[in-house]
Amino acid sequence: MENTTTISLLIEGMRYSIDQDTIIQLQNGTIPLSLQEEIIKRQGKDTCFDFCRQRRLIKRICDQIQEGKQPSDILSLIKSGSVSSEILFQIYHHKLIGKTEKLYSKNLISEDVLTTVKKHLITPEVLPQLDKAILIETAQYLYKKNEISRELLNGTVNGSVQPKFIRTIRRYYRQLQNSIEIEQKHTYCAYLNDDQYLPTAVYVSCPDSQIDKNLLAETTRKYLRKALAHLTADERSLIRRLYIDQIHLRPLAASIGVSEGTIRYRRDKILKKLRNILEKDMHVHSDFFFEQ
């Protein structure tokens, strides 16, 4: 008899029923397209973005723990899904203690929280205080940049403004700044090994993954050119057709004579290879343009 066991997954106060296959995919850091579409339909693109980012960071940190690069006693808490993507990001890049010291210097957390982070990194007790402090710091940053009003800043401090509202403003503000920076350098072109050029502003029409879009669109030309040099000619060709020629998965699959799933698999494998090259060999983190 087929196993139809399902569990309830809570995403920002809304429950989703997922099957065993989806559970396994989430544990591997892969977010099924069907689940993404359901989240977008019920809660919007920003919630989907945050959830996908959180799950990918969970997988990366679990890998770090397995490699002995993070303390093993935080594993169960990381896997629980209760740690926000903001804190996960700091943990993944080994910056949480430094971030906490900065928050303490701004009187946004207590000395007890700082001590706990230095000793245990994270515990269930300090997570709410860290999240609130990071949110207030973000609101203060946006206020200084004239992106939010004093009223919104005060609302963030007293809890009357929803956290996702501030995070969404921050995300789009950074995307705007990245766009301006890219536009200012638009005359520069980098060349691949096979004499194909890669324009500086590579905006991607392929809608499947916002994180992958930003990975290829906003990584600096210097590092991306070096990373692409490690790919095979076939891999570079697929990346060029998807992200420069802007051919969507279905027509591309049809032109090559393979299934859409095959193209998706090849694309994900190549992007994972690029991330590994950027992060492990060049020490350039693919998420760096999303966080302070």
Side-chain angles (χ1 to χ4, degrees):
M1 186 175 180
E2 187 178 351
N3 185 0
T4 58
T5 302
T6 62
I7 68 166
S8 179
L9 177 67
L10 186 65
I11 303 176
E12 290 194 8
M14 191 167 290
R15 295 194 177 276
Y16 295 78
S17 181
I18 61 174
D19 58 23
Q20 191 63 35
D21 288 340
T22 300
I23 295 171
I24 293 173
Q25 290 184 69
L26 290 177
Q27 290 173 345
N28 291 327
T30 301
I31 298 81
L33 185 59
S34 58
L35 178 58
Q36 293 186 46
E37 290 173 343
E38 186 178 358
I39 297 171
I40 291 172
K41 182 178 179 180
R42 296 175 65 183
Q43 294 181 274
K45 291 183 179 180
D46 291 313
T47 297
C48 182
F49 176 92
D50 288 332
F51 175 74
C52 292
R53 181 165 177 263
Q54 181 199 40
R55 289 293 160 169
R56 288 179 172 124
L57 284 167
I58 287 173
K59 176 61 169 62
R60 294 180 186 183
I61 294 172
C62 287
D63 289 344
Q64 287 181 330
I65 293 173
Q66 189 174 5
E67 295 166 0
K69 297 178 180 179
Q70 297 283 3
S72 59
D73 55 358
I74 69 171
L75 180 61
S76 59
L77 187 53
I78 295 295
K79 284 186 172 182
S80 71
S82 60
V83 184
S84 68
S85 59
E86 284 75 19
I87 294 177
L88 290 171
F89 178 87
Q90 299 296 329
I91 294 173
Y92 176 66
H93 294 302
H94 302 279
K95 294 181 177 180
L96 184 61
I97 292 178
K99 183 71 168 181
T100 307
E101 290 174 337
K102 183 179 178 182
L103 295 173
Y104 176 71
S105 70
K106 295 180 177 181
N107 296 317
L108 295 176
I109 59 169
S110 66
E111 187 174 356
D112 288 342
V113 172
L114 176 60
T115 301
T116 299
V117 171
K118 286 184 174 181
K119 185 176 181 180
H120 303 289
L121 204 57
I122 53 169
T123 66
E125 292 76 22
V126 301
L127 289 180
Q129 298 174 67
L130 282 175
D131 277 325
K132 182 65 179 293
I134 291 173
L135 185 68
I136 293 174
E137 183 189 43
T138 299
Q140 291 174 342
Y141 170 80
L142 292 172
Y143 177 72
K144 289 179 181 178
K145 297 295 182 178
N146 296 316
E147 292 298 316
I148 64 172
S149 65
R150 168 63 71 173
E151 183 181 3
L152 281 178
L153 174 59
N154 293 338
T156 304
V157 174
N158 63 36
S160 61
V161 173
Q162 292 187 12
K164 67 178 181 180
F165 183 69
I166 297 299
R167 290 169 187 153
T168 299
I169 295 175
R170 176 196 58 191
R171 179 176 305 126
Y172 287 116
Y173 172 73
R174 287 177 180 160
Q175 288 179 353
L176 175 62
Q177 295 305 305
N178 285 327
S179 298
I180 293 172
E181 182 178 349
I182 290 172
E183 185 177 349
Q184 289 172 345
K185 301 177 182 177
H186 73 282
T187 57
Y188 176 77
C189 288
Y191 285 82
L192 309 184
N193 284 355
D194 48 5
D195 296 325
Q196 299 291 333
Y197 75 90
L198 180 65
T200 299
V202 184
Y203 286 99
V204 186
S205 64
C206 184
D208 298 279
S209 170
Q210 183 69 20
I211 289 181
D212 291 339
K213 168 182 175 179
N214 283 283
L215 172 66
L216 289 176
E218 299 171 13
T219 303
T220 64
R221 300 310 94 190
K222 172 184 174 182
Y223 292 114
L224 184 54
R225 179 173 57 180
K226 290 182 179 179
L228 286 167
H230 290 270
L231 302 181
T232 66
D234 287 342
E235 289 171 336
R236 288 196 300 274
S237 176
L238 182 62
I239 291 298
R240 183 179 65 250
R241 297 182 73 179
L242 281 172
Y243 295 103
I244 298 178
D245 299 339
Q246 300 184 9
I247 303 175
H248 286 256
L249 294 178
R250 185 170 298 175
L252 179 57
S255 69
I256 296 176
V258 298
S259 69
E260 185 177 341
T262 298
I263 295 295
R264 194 187 306 277
Y265 171 77
R266 291 176 183 174
R267 178 205 63 188
D268 291 346
K269 186 176 180 180
I270 295 170
L271 291 175
K272 182 178 181 181
K273 183 177 179 179
L274 278 174
R275 287 194 193 95
N276 286 335
I277 293 168
L278 287 166
E279 296 185 355
K280 295 182 179 180
D281 297 342
M282 301 179 186
H283 308 291
V284 179
H285 298 294
S286 59
D287 291 333
F288 79 92
F289 20 72
F290 294 115
E291 291 298 322
Q292 295 183 56

